[in-house]
Amino acid sequence: MFAAVAPRYDFLNHLLSLGRDIAWRRAAAKALREALAQPGSLAVDVCCGTGDLAMALARYSAGKVIGTDFCRPMLLRAREKGRRLSRPPFFLEADTLALPFRDDSLDVVSVAFGFRNLADYNAGLREVYRVLKSGGTVAILEFSRVRWPVFGPLFRFYFHQILPRLGTLISGVRGPYQYLPDSVSQFPDQESLAVAITAAGFANVRYRNLTGGVAALHLGEKE
Ligand SMILES: C[S@@+](CC[C@H](N)C(=O)[O-])C[C@H]1O[C@@H](n2cnc3c(N)ncnc32)[C@H](O)[C@@H]1O
């Protein structure tokens, strides 16, 4: 599915979110800047797609940033975009449910709009927990539930009725832009995701709504 939309993925992200996706990823990177600024820090952005969050992390990193994804056409675009940076992330083909990293080896694991796509969220959380060092931070940026009263119904109309049609028209691919609202409806809301992250063993789990809850940024630490 992602291989089919890779050529138009970034353009559609920015268009369909009216550019908010850039600010959301920037907020995620900023929330991680202390951990990234430690000399020699190792951060992995899983389900990195075309690499935008990995590249945002690289700006704050005093160590290494790696982006992983199992969709090669998305990774190739990430690598191409990274060429513009002086210190680009390293991009690696890998399944988030079986990461090629040792136990307790990473300072930061992030994921933007990819966690929802995992076949098993709890297995994904266990895998992230396994690879993080104790004291390491997980950041999950994902679509969530809008909490603003008037904006909520308007957004839901846009998200369920307009976005799938626009996305299909511009990408020329049937499926992925219908899958987007459908998968968000089935994904845990802010509170339920925080409960799942805590149940996976993370401490100090908190979240912040972005654009009224269109997206939410969850953070947690491995004790
Ligand atoms: C919606 S895109 C998000 C891409 C990027 N993180 C962003 O912020 O735009 C979801 C990505 O997750 C990847 N993905 C889904 N399941 C995965 C898995 N089990 N292992 C690795 N990548 C996965 C897809 O290939 C796709 O590139």
Side-chain angles (χ1 to χ4, degrees), residues 2 9 25 47-49 69-71 74 94-96 112-113 117-118:
F2 286 102
Y9 179 79
R25 288 193 198 81
C47 301
C48 71
D69 200 288
F70 65 8
C71 177
M74 296 286 270
D95 185 348
T96 302
F113 309 110
N117 298 305
L118 296 180

Side-chain angles (χ1 to χ4, degrees), residues 42-46 57 64-68 99 101 106 108-111:
L42 187 52
V44 174
D45 180 45
V46 299
L57 300 184
K64 210 172 252 163
V65 177
I66 301 172
T68 64
L99 290 167
F101 302 107
L106 309 179
V108 169
V109 175
S110 63
V111 53

Side-chain angles (χ1 to χ4, degrees), residues 116 159-160 164 175 177-187:
R116 176 178 36 89
F159 200 55
H160 290 271
Y177 288 91
Q178 184 55 56
Y179 164 79
L180 173 59
D182 291 350
S183 61
V184 173
S185 305
Q186 286 162 29
F187 190 68

Side-chain angles (χ1 to χ4, degrees), residues 78-199:
R79 193 182 291 172
E80 185 62 41
K81 284 158 62 182
R83 292 211 175 100
R84 290 184 230 134
L85 305 185
S86 53
R87 291 180 62 241
F90 181 78
F91 291 104
L92 181 72
E93 198 169 323
D95 185 348
T96 302
L97 297 179
L99 290 167
F101 302 107
R102 282 198 295 265
D103 295 359
D104 309 310
S105 57
L106 309 179
D107 298 287
V108 169
V109 175
S110 63
V111 53
F113 309 110
F115 192 75
R116 176 178 36 89
N117 298 305
L118 296 180
D120 180 341
Y121 309 141
N122 291 321
L125 286 171
R126 282 197 298 275
E127 187 61 352
V128 171
Y129 191 88
R130 179 187 72 76
V131 295
L132 273 175
K133 288 179 187 165
S134 79
T137 307
V138 61
I140 300 177
L141 174 61
E142 194 45 89
F143 288 108
S144 202
R145 301 293 190 281
V146 176
R147 300 301 193 204
W148 286 343
V150 180
F151 178 60
L154 289 174
F155 174 76
R156 281 188 287 279
F157 178 76
Y158 164 74
F159 200 55
H160 290 271
Q161 303 300 329
I162 298 175
L163 179 148
R165 290 182 173 87
L166 255 182
T168 305
L169 189 75
I170 297 173
S171 68
V173 185
R174 216 171 252 285
Y177 288 91
Q178 184 55 56
Y179 164 79
L180 173 59
D182 291 350
S183 61
V184 173
S185 305
Q186 286 162 29
F187 190 68
D189 67 9
Q190 291 85 330
E191 289 77 20
S192 309
L193 182 57
V195 168
I197 298 171
T198 305

Side-chain angles (χ1 to χ4, degrees), residues 16-33:
L16 297 174
S17 75
L18 300 177
R20 294 311 300 157
D21 65 306
I22 299 170
W24 297 333
R25 288 193 198 81
R26 204 173 287 152
K30 258 191 170 171
L32 294 167
R33 70 189 150 180

